[in-house]
Amino acid sequence: MLTLSLVSRFKRHTRDIPDRKVSTRSMASKTPVGFIGLGNMGNPMAKNLLKNGYPIIATDVFPESCKEVQELGAQIVDNPADVADKVDRIITMLPSSPNVVDVYTGPNGILKKVKKGSLLIDSSTIDPSVSKDMAGAAEKMGAVFMDAPVSGGVGAASSAKLTFMVGGAEEEFTAAKELLSCMGANVVYCGQVGTGQAAKICNNMLLAIGMIGTSETMNLGIRLGLDPKLLAKILNMSSGRCWSSDTYNPVPGVMEGVPSGNNYQGGFGTQLMAKDLGLAQNTATNTKSPVPLGSLAHQIYRMMCARGYANKDFSSVFQFLREEDSQ
Ligand code: NAD
């Protein structure tokens, strides 16, 4: 009996209390939350946690990024390990897979000082295999890692309207949702760790293909003498309609309040789209899935980066195609 109870205590201590349905962390509301990566997305997301009454302990390699949340009351520390030392829930919002590996497993990474039972939520868009690796490394330290990438850009991050696609242990979803609902309108459980990334990568591959298709269609129609607004109207009442044609049209002057009306400033950068399409390629190769249009979309967005479009919104593929075909 004594041996059994020791084993069960050891399991609880090292494996994050596996036999409960709802994490006790979900009850520990308004205790400080760590936030790492205060860029275009992380900054407004952290602000929404602050607005909801969560004290924030944050860090970013670029000190200037920390200023706004610091002025709103967040405590700024030197590195991810120092964040992990002070909290038991951390959200990371970083550019790409190598940054995530560094922030979790690097010399000053989260896992150097993580508390047992901590909940680590990564909202960056990265390779699902890296999410799985981070989950394994976190588990060895007695912590729980979940992937929760987002759909929706800076505007949705500011207005707390993001969609979160969450992968990881289902019994931890309630605890994750408590924080994610402060930053998003939809929090969707996708399955085991890495499936949030899978959903995000699939969505963005379709988005890129749809945006390129809309752009070349609009360009052809304009060259055939159609008024772009009229063409968009017809597409949007016909079977060619899609998000890129009716909500985010890439042709300047067709819609208000979208990047195409503002010289493709703001929105979702071409470089980030190229990165997501690269992730789609890797995962397609690993799963032997044919993605001919996804491959072509990846090449087009990579070419755009090489031709000076890297920091423009991804809908600038319309402008890129116009420049291409006029040569
Ligand atoms: P960003 O480059 O603006 O911000 C990332 C931040 O992480 C930067 O402030 C950077 O200094 C910081 N950082 C990098 N390495 C770090 C480290 N080792 N330690 C601490 N901080 C570090 O990127 P973003 O636009 O905020 O995007 C973040 C993620 O969200 C990306 O994976 C992106 O694909 C995804 N995403 C972005 C959008 C968008 O519209 N921008 C939309 C959906 C998803």
Side-chain angles (χ1 to χ4, degrees):
M1 278 308 272
L2 180 66
T3 322
L4 257 178
S5 86
L6 269 178
V7 167
S8 94
R9 261 170 46 208
F10 177 76
K11 267 175 76 183
R12 272 177 175 273
H13 195 50
T14 55
R15 294 207 54 248
D16 189 36
I17 317 176
D19 52 347
R20 64 200 163 152
K21 276 276 174 264
V22 178
S23 167
T24 50
R25 273 188 301 269
S26 64
M27 288 171 243
S29 59
K30 316 300 181 193
T31 57
V33 173
F35 207 106
I36 301 171
L38 297 162
N40 291 327
M41 297 292 284
N43 188 50
M45 288 164 70
K47 280 186 194 162
N48 282 325
L49 284 170
L50 280 165
K51 263 189 214 160
N52 279 271
Y54 290 95
I56 295 290
I57 297 179
T59 195
D60 191 293
V61 273
F62 186 47
E64 191 69 19
S65 305
C66 301
K67 269 195 164 169
E68 273 188 55
V69 291
Q70 189 171 24
E71 279 163 17
L72 292 170
Q75 183 188 343
I76 308 301
V77 295
D78 284 345
N79 55 53
D82 289 348
V83 174
D85 197 32
K86 292 181 184 303
V87 299
D88 67 359
R89 293 178 290 181
I90 300 177
I91 293 165
T92 49
M93 192 53 169
L94 301 156
S96 58
S97 300
N99 309 110
V100 172
V101 172
D102 185 40
V103 163
Y104 281 85
T105 63
N108 287 317
I110 292 171
L111 298 183
K112 282 278 180 276
K113 291 195 185 165
V114 73
K115 293 178 200 298
K116 284 200 163 52
S118 290
L119 177 61
L120 312 172
I121 303 174
D122 180 39
S123 284
S124 327
T125 305
I126 61 164
D127 194 312
S129 68
V130 174
S131 301
K132 287 180 194 163
D133 290 348
M134 295 303 102
E139 193 180 3
K140 281 190 188 139
M141 304 303 293
V144 175
F145 175 97
M146 301 185 92
D147 55 309
V150 302
S151 173
V154 174
S158 303
S159 57
K161 295 268 166 63
L162 292 168
T163 291
F164 286 91
M165 294 154 259
V166 186
E170 194 168 7
E171 63 270 25
E172 300 295 343
F173 179 61
T174 308
K177 196 174 175 185
E178 176 198 328
L179 297 179
L180 300 179
S181 335
C182 301
M183 302 179 281
N186 303 301
V187 184
V188 185
Y189 181 69
C190 300
Q192 63 185 348
V193 75
T195 53
Q197 297 294 353
K200 166 70 184 173
I201 289 168
C202 289
N203 178 72
N204 276 19
M205 186 175 83
L206 180 56
L207 174 63
I209 294 167
M211 181 55 81
I212 296 168
T214 302
S215 295
E216 63 185 41
T217 299
M218 291 295 296
N219 191 32
L220 175 64
I222 293 164
R223 296 213 162 208
L224 289 171
L226 285 160
D227 171 74
K229 272 193 177 173
L230 177 71
L231 175 56
K233 189 176 162 186
I234 292 167
L235 292 178
N236 293 338
M237 57 177 63
S238 309
S239 47
R241 178 176 61 86
C242 66
W243 186 85
S244 297
S245 72
D246 74 356
T247 307
Y248 209 86
N249 199 288
V251 181
V254 166
M255 292 181 74
E256 307 253 308
V258 289
S260 59
N262 186 28
N263 198 23
Y264 301 102
Q265 302 299 309
F268 183 55
T270 291
Q271 195 161 31
L272 286 176
M273 180 54 98
K275 177 202 71 166
D276 291 358
L277 289 166
L279 294 173
Q281 287 305 289
N282 293 345
T283 53
T285 305
N286 293 341
T287 55
K288 296 189 169 65
S289 310
V291 287
L293 293 182
S295 296
L296 190 53
H298 186 212
Q299 294 303 317
I300 290 171
Y301 276 102
R302 281 180 56 202
M303 267 194 281
M304 286 174 69
C305 289
R307 305 253 179 102
Y309 286 81
N311 295 319
K312 287 185 183 256
D313 179 70
F314 80 111
S315 64
S316 62
V317 65
F318 172 77
Q319 195 182 21
F320 173 73
L321 292 173
R322 272 184 94 74
E323 282 172 11
E324 280 294 298
D325 67 12
S326 62
Q327 280 170 15

